[in-house]
Amino acid sequence: MAKIIKVQKGTKDILPQEVGQWHKLEKNALEIFTRYGYKEIRTPIFEATELFARGVGDTTDIVNKEMYTFEKSDRSITLRPENTAGVVRSFIENGMARLSAPVKLWYKGPMFRYERPQAGRQRQFHQVGVEMFGIKEPTADAEAIMLAVDYLNSLGLNDLEVEINSLGCPKCREEYKRKIKEVLKPEFDNLCEDCQNRYEKNPLRLLDCKVESCKEIFEKPEIQKVIQSDFICEECAQHYSELKSYLDKLNIKYVENKLLVRGLDYYNRTVFEIKSNNLGSQNAVCGGGRYDSLVRNLGGEDTPAVGWAMGMERLNSLLPEIEPEKLDGYIVSNSPADAFAFAQELRAKGVNVEFDLANKKFTKQLEKASKVARFALILGEDEIKVNKVSVKNLSTSEQVTIDRNEVIDKIKA
Ligand code: ATP
Ligand code: MG
């Protein structure tokens, strides 16, 4: 026998018995996001590597370690590790800054990161996300968070924790970064290798480190004092406090977490995450924030923006299983021509129906019907002669013989 080729490490098939949950995630996304005025955008799965280097930031784990990059005709191409950069590219390229603000876009689809596969972490995974352009006011941040909560609630997910923080603006952050570096300097040799590398380039990222020994260091009082200090400037503080007052008004419960800095370089002011206690260690389902300088950094005009992304696999693991739907009817007949014609008649009217393409024995067909359908639609010789059909309800076994045009009423009832 030929050698079997297996699925790649860190990737998964989504099988028919699991796809119901995915349909739900996608259907609710379309429904809820549309309610808030978002339009779907579909951007390519690969982009110029430079887009991510500049758009995600070359001090991030994503760009440094996790990208799937390859050369094709002298071009460096990367499978998208996230989709904000792609959406921003498209926003700029398609002149969407000319549209009246806000421009609200949502997306769903696969992302690729070369990470160590584990529960809740794959190399190909899926995100659903939103990006809103053109509004600097904190109403936009609040609406984005409200939308995330609304979407999660629509999926029956209520037991979640919203964490927020403000990273300030590049101006007030400079001083904060300096202080963080200063207070961590004596500990430099005790930091993990990643943190040592980030120390110069992206000191805020240290706060986000998941390594126990680093977390312990950050617990030290003198370091906590800097972390917990209110470093943000007056304008940023005003923005942040308005955001919180909107969240209060909307009854969105949140906790403030000064350690929340998010992995990506481009955030300013608001950052947030939504976590579930039912997910184990990879417990973040949603991450987002404000990124007012990204559009400009990627060559567009100054455009404030806010957005978030959710990991669909993690959402999925929180949803109850959804049984695949049964067919409305399965036609049982030993006259394939009649069965086929009847099937087409019903399909044209929106009924989900199959018949036995292999024309097996009548009893075999009945057995199959009871497995896959709610009703057996029996076209035996007798029924065919008088142009009728016997409809058997496969859960109650009740059976009636009726005119064929009455079938829809019977099975939709
Ligand atoms: P993490 O801290 O879990 O690595 P992240 O900060 O890298 O998350 P984001 O880039 O903010 O994640 O992506 C948003 C969401 O996408 C995450 O909250 C998570 O639900 C999901 N996600 C990120 N990476 C993966 C992955 N490798 N596999 C599955 N889901 C992922
Ligand atoms: Mg990550």
Side-chain angles (χ1 to χ4, degrees):
M1 272 215 285
K3 183 179 153 234
I4 293 173
I5 299 164
K6 297 224 171 113
V7 76
Q8 287 295 291
K9 197 173 160 191
T11 71
K12 272 189 185 150
D13 298 313
I14 297 168
L15 298 171
Q17 62 268 27
E18 301 157 333
V19 87
Q21 284 157 274
W22 288 85
H23 287 162
K24 184 170 170 121
L25 294 179
E26 290 161 8
K27 179 173 153 283
N28 288 27
L30 176 61
E31 210 170 286
I32 307 288
F33 301 166
T34 303
R35 215 172 275 171
Y36 284 71
Y38 281 81
K39 300 276 192 304
E40 187 178 356
I41 183 166
R42 301 186 183 193
T43 59
I45 280 172
F46 60 84
E47 300 268 5
T49 302
E50 191 192 351
L51 176 69
F52 303 112
R54 273 167 58 194
V56 179
D58 47 20
T59 67
T60 60
D61 285 352
I62 292 185
V63 171
N64 280 324
K65 307 184 197 163
E66 299 175 358
M67 295 212 295
Y68 280 91
T69 297
F70 53 97
E71 299 282 327
K72 254 321 181 217
S73 351
D74 281 343
R75 260 174 231 221
S76 179
I77 285 169
T78 293
L79 301 183
R80 62 183 188 193
E82 56 95 62
N83 208 29
T84 300
V87 171
V88 170
R89 178 203 47 71
S90 180
F91 176 87
I92 297 168
E93 196 169 349
N94 292 293
M96 290 190 233
R98 285 196 304 270
L99 304 174
S100 95
V103 175
K104 293 176 166 179
L105 303 170
W106 76 273
Y107 61 82
K108 60 168 194 277
M111 308 294 157
F112 305 84
R113 297 185 193 176
Y114 189 69
E115 305 198 68
R116 191 170 66 79
Q118 50 190 294
R121 210 178 272 303
Q122 292 177 203
R123 290 179 172 175
Q124 175 174 336
F125 63 102
H126 298 76
Q127 285 183 338
V128 58
V130 304
E131 316 291 352
M132 184 200 313
F133 298 95
I135 307 290
K136 61 179 190 313
E137 283 76 8
T139 38
D141 313 50
E143 195 191 62
I145 295 174
M146 182 74 247
L147 174 56
V149 171
D150 226 357
Y151 175 58
L152 292 165
N153 288 347
S154 82
L155 298 167
L157 306 177
N158 307 304
D159 185 20
L160 297 157
E161 191 147 279
V162 180
E163 288 190 358
I164 61 170
N165 190 20
S166 176
L167 300 176
C169 56
K171 254 189 280 162
C172 46
R173 198 155 57 199
E174 240 4 85
E175 176 61 11
Y176 186 55
K177 277 191 203 169
R178 196 189 59 73
K179 281 192 183 148
I180 295 269
K181 277 169 70 178
E182 189 179 78
V183 73
L184 283 174
K185 196 161 196 175
E187 300 287 350
F188 186 87
D189 292 337
N190 304 326
L191 295 169
C192 74
E193 203 187 317
D194 277 341
C195 280
Q196 293 189 349
N197 288 331
R198 291 173 190 139
Y199 180 85
E200 281 302 333
K201 287 193 273 180
N202 194 354
L204 285 195
R205 263 297 262 133
L206 269 63
L207 306 183
D208 208 35
C209 185
K210 305 286 188 293
V211 176
E212 267 324 306
S213 54
C214 289
K215 285 199 209 167
E216 271 167 37
I217 296 175
F218 305 146
E219 283 306 317
K220 295 193 173 174
E222 69 276 17
I223 298 175
Q224 272 297 313
K225 205 173 138 204
V226 175
I227 291 173
Q228 298 300 338
S229 67
D230 289 319
F231 69 92
I232 59 179
C233 65
E234 210 170 302
E235 258 181 83
C236 289
Q238 173 74 14
H239 193 275
Y240 189 41
S241 85
E242 279 180 41
L243 165 65
K244 286 186 281 185
S245 75
Y246 288 124
L247 296 180
D248 291 335
K249 258 234 155 78
L250 292 160
N251 280 323
I252 299 174
K253 287 199 197 67
Y254 57 86
V255 270
E256 294 179 66
N257 177 2
K258 294 258 191 188
L259 294 177
L260 182 65
V261 295
R262 312 269 311 123
L264 315 183
D265 274 355
Y266 49 60
Y267 290 113
N268 66 298
R269 292 193 169 164
T270 315
V271 286
F272 58 92
E273 250 174 27
I274 303 181
K275 295 179 176 164
S276 163
N277 294 323
N278 305 320
L279 274 180
S281 58
Q282 310 314 325
N283 63 353
V285 292
C286 176
R290 176 167 281 284
Y291 50 95
D292 291 339
S293 53
L294 184 59
V295 178
R296 194 186 54 224
N297 286 350
L298 289 176
E301 282 165 34
D302 229 343
T303 310
V306 53
W308 52 252
M310 292 193 195
M312 296 176 80
E313 279 77 7
R314 292 189 201 173
L315 290 178
N316 236 330
S317 62
L318 293 170
L319 294 188
E321 268 176 43
I322 297 173
E323 291 266 319
E325 266 190 39
K326 285 194 165 179
L327 290 170
D328 296 318
Y330 191 87
I331 300 172
V332 176
S333 175
N334 282 124
S335 167
D338 284 286
F340 206 157
F342 190 42
Q344 289 316 105
E345 202 180 299
L346 291 171
R347 287 166 178 167
K349 292 176 182 158
V351 178
N352 301 335
V353 61
E354 276 200 287
F355 68 98
D356 186 4
L357 296 166
N359 195 19
K360 286 199 234 21
K361 281 199 193 117
F362 209 78
T363 47
K364 288 267 179 241
Q365 291 189 28
L366 262 177
E367 264 170 44
K368 165 101 179 188
S370 63
K371 280 187 203 134
V372 300
R374 296 189 297 117
F375 291 90
L377 308 174
I378 302 164
L379 290 182
E381 275 171 33
D382 294 346
E383 284 90 353
I384 290 172
K385 252 184 247 153
V386 294
N387 209 20
K388 293 205 167 203
V389 55
S390 295
V391 178
K392 181 174 183 184
N393 182 327
L394 292 165
S395 50
T396 63
S397 292
E398 175 209 10
Q399 183 169 327
V400 286
T401 301
I402 56 178
D403 282 343
R404 291 191 191 175
N405 57 17
E406 290 169 345
V407 166
I408 293 209
D409 291 341
K410 184 82 198 158
I411 64 184
K412 292 285 183 193

